[in-house]
Amino acid sequence: MIHRKDIFGLHWPLFVAVVLIQEAIFANAFSSPVASGNRKPSSTQLHVDKNKDRKAPSNNKAAIIFLHGLGDSPDGWSKLGEWLPYYAPNLANLDITYVFPPAHNVAITVNGGEMMNGWFDVFDWPIGIDAKDDAKGLAMSVRRVEEIVNELKEEEGIDPSRVILGGFSQGGAVAVTAAYNRRKKGAIPFAGCVVMSGWLPLKEYLDVSEEIAKATPLFWAHGQLDDKILYEQQVFGVDKLDSLGVDVTAHSYPVGHESTSNWEEIQDMAEFVETVLCRTEDGDDQKYDYDSIVLSPEDAEKNALLYYLCSLPIDESAGVGAENNAYSNTL
């Protein structure tokens, strides 16, 4: 009887078993530990929850957009609307819309090209500060976030300055990019940004305006034992954004790649959200002409493509003319 072996010297049945186990582990690596069920929402579906216990007048509105992790669905974080007011009771006095958009199905390179719910492709595992970025995928996800923000303004009357962007793991990477990096000049700063076990992508092309840095505080929570998104990512991202003038609140915990099972982390997040959304109107918040500077669909698309263009490698041997031609061909 011949036992087939692959190039690693494993017996073939054992090799297949190992591969299947690795794929299963990777599929759940970035997801919330308490994600419920196996229901997969459609690519256009949005999970929108209203604060059922709100006591505030209808004009006291705010929104929290929270992006799930790779391989997860909105179900994994849909209880935030209950958890946050529990730990920060003042949030129950606001008219908060919670939005949990689902990621599209994308091919994940590091997982053999398998299609998974994801915001962009992943090339390295684990994800340290030298990990390669999928700039185009990030750009398209940022565009989706901007479209949701525009819809909240148009349909719910919620100004972007009352919107908190947040996300877990891969979703956190999208949130921090959308909140800070290369936002359109004159764009309305968001109320805040929440990164849970995420990372700062496109760091070589990071450009945060003084206005955005001043107006959009950041909460970053991370597990010190995280073996998926390495703890060094928080250290680097926090230091980088702080150096650019962002008001950063950073917490770390003696846990791995988890958040929804770490109630201390959820409580810290709730306190940050409460501080941001329950600020008195007597502050020195800047006023904006919202109708004149909300991104149009055309502007949003150009803004998203900017991330992709900035990530293109420069062929120094070809000269400046060739570089400009490559950019124009991409457009």
Side-chain angles (χ1 to χ4, degrees):
M1 180 176 181
I2 300 175
H3 296 276
R4 182 177 178 183
K5 297 182 180 181
D6 74 335
I7 59 175
F8 298 102
L10 291 176
H11 291 298
W12 184 250
L14 177 59
F15 172 71
V16 172
V18 169
V19 170
L20 291 176
I21 291 173
Q22 288 177 335
E23 289 184 351
I25 292 173
F26 185 89
N28 293 302
F30 297 97
S31 62
S32 165
V34 296
S36 58
N38 296 316
R39 180 166 60 89
K40 294 182 179 179
S42 68
S43 60
T44 59
Q45 180 183 2
L46 287 181
H47 287 219
V48 181
D49 294 327
K50 290 284 189 176
N51 189 338
K52 299 177 182 179
D53 298 324
R54 65 180 184 270
K55 306 172 185 177
S58 58
N59 62 347
N60 195 3
K61 294 183 175 182
I64 297 175
I65 303 171
F66 200 89
L67 311 179
H68 62 77
L70 179 65
D72 201 359
S73 75
D75 292 340
W77 289 90
S78 61
K79 296 296 184 181
L80 275 182
E82 300 175 12
W83 297 339
L84 297 185
Y86 175 81
Y87 285 112
N90 286 332
L91 293 178
N93 298 326
L94 301 179
D95 183 1
I96 301 178
T97 298
Y98 294 84
V99 183
F100 305 98
H104 295 309
N105 253 353
V106 297
I108 303 300
T109 297
V110 76
N111 201 27
E114 180 182 349
M115 301 296 293
M116 301 174 63
N117 291 341
W119 300 103
F120 51 85
D121 198 358
V122 176
F123 304 100
D124 298 291
W125 178 259
I127 298 178
I129 57 175
D130 295 325
K132 178 182 176 182
D133 293 317
D134 173 18
K136 185 175 182 180
L138 275 160
M140 294 301 102
S141 290
V142 167
R143 181 185 176 188
R144 283 192 65 195
V145 170
E146 291 174 339
E147 289 173 347
I148 294 170
V149 171
N150 285 342
E151 290 173 5
L152 285 169
K153 170 61 181 173
E154 295 170 3
E155 299 177 9
E156 301 287 339
I158 301 174
D159 295 321
S161 63
R162 294 289 291 166
V163 174
I164 291 180
L165 300 183
F168 173 71
S169 191
Q170 198 187 46
V174 174
V176 73
T177 303
Y180 298 107
N181 198 359
R182 298 179 180 272
R183 293 205 65 207
K184 179 182 173 67
K185 184 178 180 180
I188 305 167
F190 295 114
C193 180
V194 172
V195 177
M196 313 283 273
S197 303
W199 71 98
L200 178 65
L202 300 175
K203 51 187 176 293
E204 296 88 351
Y205 312 100
L206 186 63
D207 183 6
V208 183
S209 71
E210 183 178 350
E211 180 185 28
I212 296 297
K214 179 180 177 181
T216 307
L218 170 66
F219 174 86
W220 193 318
H222 215 106
Q224 299 164 355
L225 308 178
D226 196 331
D227 59 349
K228 278 81 175 178
I229 313 300
L230 301 183
Y231 177 57
E232 64 183 29
Q233 287 281 20
Q234 186 198 36
V235 176
F236 176 86
V238 165
D239 287 347
K240 185 69 173 178
L241 291 168
D242 177 72
S243 71
L244 295 174
V246 177
D247 180 10
V248 181
T249 300
H251 292 270
S252 61
Y253 313 87
V255 299
H257 192 66
E258 56 194 67
S259 288
T260 52
S261 58
N262 179 12
W263 296 111
E264 181 183 358
E265 186 172 356
I266 298 298
Q267 181 174 358
D268 290 337
M269 173 188 174
E271 292 173 355
F272 170 82
V273 171
E274 183 180 51
T275 299
V276 169
L277 294 183
C278 297
R279 286 182 294 192
T280 63
E281 297 181 358
D282 297 331
D284 57 353
D285 292 344
Q286 185 174 349
K287 303 301 181 182
Y288 298 92
D289 182 0
Y290 297 106
D291 294 332
S292 66
I293 61 177
V294 169
L295 289 179
S296 67
E298 293 78 13
D299 285 337
E301 183 171 3
K302 292 177 182 178
N303 198 32
L305 284 173
L306 181 58
Y307 297 108
Y308 179 49
L309 294 177
C310 287
S311 70
L312 291 178
I314 299 175
D315 186 358
E316 297 180 355
S317 63
V320 176
E323 174 190 333
N324 292 336
N325 187 52
Y327 279 19
S328 61
N329 289 341
T330 304
L331 287 171

